[in-house]
Amino acid sequence: MDQSSIDALRAQDIAPRGHFINGRFQDGETGAQHQVLSPINGQPLALIAEGTLADVEAAVRAARLAFEDGRWSRMAPADRKKVLLKLADLIEARALELAVLGVRNNGTEITMAYKAEALSAAATFRYYAEAIDKIYGQIAPTSGDVLGLVHHAPVGVVGAIVSWNFPLMIGSWKIAPALAAGNSVVLKPAESASLSLLKIAELAAEAGVPDGVFNVVTGRGSVVGEALALSMDVDIMVFTGSGATGRRLLEYSARSNLKRCYLELGGKSPNIVFADAPDLAEAAKVSAAGIFRNSGQVCVAGSRLLVQQEIYEDFVTEISRHAESFRVGDPLDLNSQIGAVHSLPELQANVDFVTKAEAEGAERRTGGNRILTETGGYYMAPTVMANVKETDNLFQNEVFGPVLAVTPFKDEDEAIRLANATVYGLAGGVWTSNLSRAHRMVAGIRAGVVHVNTYGGADLTVPLGGVRQSGNGHDKSLHALEKYFDLKTAWIKL
């Protein structure tokens, strides 16, 4: 990856894109288009189809027909594996192109996007391709005159809605296991970050995924997402995004066919630093990256920093120093360490959080303002807010931006209480040299993943999922396959 290659890809025009339905790109029912702005400079980037109910219905029909006639669902797992491995190879071969396209669309710094988006997507398709012909059914321990078999049956049509922050990575976490299990998929990307996933659909067809098996309908959540979730012919919904949207999906399930909904929602993850952390300088460095990379637009970001009182002031000073040292700028410049906030409304919401936090008594140590306004893009200085109270808005609510809330604690009991003092339960972290304490903290923090003496970096071998109002179900690992299968019992009298 070099700057000249990135710049050449940046200069390419992006043709208007339609929906991808039944193996080909096509205009929507009305021909209406949605203009996408680039967060890099605030300028128009591309036109995508503005989906309607009719477009969703066409995609669902194509997916249902493909599932029912068995062109994919009854294909031998080893043959599906070959197709998905080819898709993984195609993604890897086009990794830089996909990464640059995604960065122009959502603002993630290219050094992160290349690995966390494009290469991660290739690895995810490869992982589930390799896994799928190694999933066995079961023989039940019945009496000798009965044979009880437990089969894994694909569920049917999967509706998937993914967020804008890491569309390729998160999209692949859902698409790859769903396809590997033999299902058909209708995907709705975020209307502001659809381009890289439309390209994945094109590559899937090139790899040999049959027509109708993987479809993408672009447009607004209030239209396309609602139609998908209300469809009587979608068997399950998988979603990453806001809690408010997750609640609506559950309502739509109740109003339609009671489809199962698997939701990965928001987080306000606690990152807890004890005075006996093995390396406080390393803890500050990693914790800063854990909230400020991708401008804080990471589901598991360590957005609440809880620091033991005896080291509190020194640690806040150190992490503020790290915040000020990050180079914020053009995300397609290899010298930038932090890219753009995804949209102007998101940026304004971030700044409003800082203003309200100060009104509630928090102390702004650094950042908190929009920067680089001359570019026309959406950039914000990494922000450290000290002495944030448990009752403060900034402590309780997800910002989804580069804003860190820092709170002191006295002892282990208070740390656990504060860690669990929000409605969320997605991730957490703890820094300590005491092995027993580490185990107690892992047990005590109510979250789907708890990091110890690090923050972030968990790979595909382990599941990611939230508890409480951070959602249900799991992406990643073999556990992710469970939601894409129905268990079917065969009870056979011998």
Side-chain angles (χ1 to χ4, degrees):
M1 184 169 60
D2 60 82
Q3 192 64 57
S4 61
S5 299
I6 294 168
D7 291 342
L9 290 165
R10 180 212 297 260
Q12 293 181 358
D13 291 333
I14 302 171
R17 304 309 300 261
H19 310 301
F20 192 85
I21 299 174
N22 206 22
R24 65 183 181 89
F25 286 105
Q26 51 190 273
D27 294 334
E29 175 205 23
T30 65
Q33 294 178 313
H34 174 80
Q35 186 175 76
V36 179
L37 303 180
S38 174
I40 296 175
N41 55 18
Q43 295 300 306
L45 175 65
L47 292 170
I48 61 172
E50 188 72 81
T52 65
L53 171 62
D55 297 323
V56 173
E57 289 175 338
V60 172
R61 279 196 305 271
R64 175 58 63 189
L65 177 62
F67 180 76
E68 297 296 345
D69 70 19
R71 68 187 75 168
W72 183 253
S73 58
R74 291 197 289 274
M75 185 184 291
D79 292 333
R80 292 201 299 269
K81 169 182 172 177
K82 292 175 184 177
V83 174
L84 294 178
L85 285 175
K86 184 176 180 182
L87 175 54
D89 290 342
L90 289 172
I91 293 170
E92 190 167 36
R94 308 285 285 273
L96 186 57
E97 176 188 344
L98 285 163
V100 172
L101 181 63
V103 171
R104 295 173 73 187
N105 206 174
N106 78 340
T108 301
E109 53 270 20
I110 186 64
T111 51
M112 172 175 273
Y114 183 67
K115 295 179 181 178
E117 283 276 83
L119 293 183
S120 170
T124 299
F125 277 97
R126 192 167 286 123
Y127 178 90
Y128 289 106
E130 291 288 1
I132 199 59
D133 61 354
K134 302 168 184 69
I135 304 296
Y136 288 82
Q138 296 171 317
I139 300 176
T142 62
S143 61
D145 61 343
V146 170
L147 177 62
L149 303 178
V150 182
H151 297 274
H152 290 97
V155 297
V157 176
V158 175
I161 303 175
V162 299
S163 55
W164 47 258
N165 57 326
F166 289 105
L168 264 187
M169 179 179 73
I170 296 171
S172 297
W173 287 350
K174 301 180 191 310
I175 301 162
L179 292 180
N183 300 288
S184 297
V185 175
V186 180
L187 171 70
K188 190 213 106 54
E191 58 268 31
S192 57
S194 300
L195 299 178
S196 58
L197 286 168
L198 286 166
K199 189 67 178 179
I200 290 294
E202 182 180 332
L203 295 179
E206 183 179 342
V209 174
D211 293 352
V213 171
F214 180 37
N215 309 273
V216 182
V217 182
T218 58
R220 301 180 188 278
S222 58
V223 178
V224 176
E226 179 175 322
L228 194 58
L230 283 170
S231 173
M232 297 294 289
D233 220 14
V234 170
D235 296 292
I236 69 169
M237 289 295 303
V238 291
F239 170 72
T240 293
S242 72
T245 301
R247 290 175 187 275
R248 285 199 294 274
L249 294 179
L250 293 173
E251 293 173 7
Y252 297 154
S253 171
R255 287 168 52 188
S256 57
N257 59 348
L258 296 177
K259 59 179 67 68
R260 300 194 297 271
C261 294
Y262 299 98
L263 311 172
E264 198 254 275
L265 307 176
K268 192 70 181 179
S269 301
N271 185 21
I272 305 165
V273 182
F274 285 91
D276 69 347
D279 186 335
L280 287 169
E282 177 71 6
K285 178 181 177 181
V286 174
S287 296
I291 175 60
F292 297 129
R293 293 300 303 273
N294 196 31
S295 292
Q297 299 165 139
V298 181
C299 298
V300 299
S303 55
R304 284 188 298 141
L305 182 64
L306 308 180
V307 183
Q308 201 160 23
Q309 280 181 345
E310 50 262 51
I311 60 167
Y312 181 80
E313 279 301 328
D314 288 343
F315 200 85
V316 172
T317 298
E318 182 67 5
I319 205 161
S320 299
R321 185 184 67 79
H322 280 292
E324 292 167 354
S325 73
F326 283 115
R327 293 189 297 274
V328 182
D330 179 354
L332 287 174
D333 184 337
L334 285 170
N335 292 313
S336 295
Q337 295 172 297
I338 296 175
V341 174
H342 179 61
S343 69
L344 188 57
E346 290 286 339
L347 175 58
Q348 188 57 56
N350 296 344
V351 173
D352 289 346
F353 263 103
V354 173
T355 301
K356 185 167 185 177
E358 287 186 305
E360 291 180 329
E363 176 188 351
R364 187 194 313 201
R365 292 294 179 92
T366 190
N369 56 296
R370 182 180 182 180
I371 58 174
L372 304 175
T373 55
E374 69 279 4
T375 68
Y378 316 134
Y379 301 92
M380 184 173 181
T383 305
V384 176
M385 303 298 295
N387 301 317
V388 176
K389 302 183 297 298
E390 178 184 347
T391 54
D392 288 353
N393 185 55
L394 187 59
F395 187 99
Q396 293 293 332
N397 295 306
E398 184 178 41
V399 178
F400 220 62
V403 181
L404 178 64
V406 194
T407 302
F409 70 88
K410 290 180 289 189
D411 54 26
E412 194 174 310
D413 288 342
E414 186 177 25
I416 291 176
R417 186 185 65 77
L418 289 171
N420 295 331
T422 74
V423 298
Y424 298 108
L426 188 56
V430 57
W431 298 80
T432 180
S433 294
N434 186 316
L435 181 60
S436 296
R437 170 183 284 158
H439 282 290
R440 289 193 297 270
M441 296 300 292
V442 169
I445 297 171
R446 298 183 66 186
V449 57
V450 180
H451 310 85
V452 178
N453 294 332
T454 188
Y455 202 94
D459 65 18
L460 278 169
T461 61
V462 293
L464 172 66
V467 299
R468 306 167 76 195
Q469 292 186 36
S470 285
N472 60 73
H474 296 88
D475 289 323
K476 300 169 51 180
S477 81
L478 295 180
H479 294 285
L481 286 164
E482 295 166 5
K483 57 182 175 282
Y484 300 109
F485 283 120
D486 283 329
L487 294 181
K488 179 182 290 186
T489 294
W491 188 258
I492 304 168
K493 179 71 173 177
L494 299 178

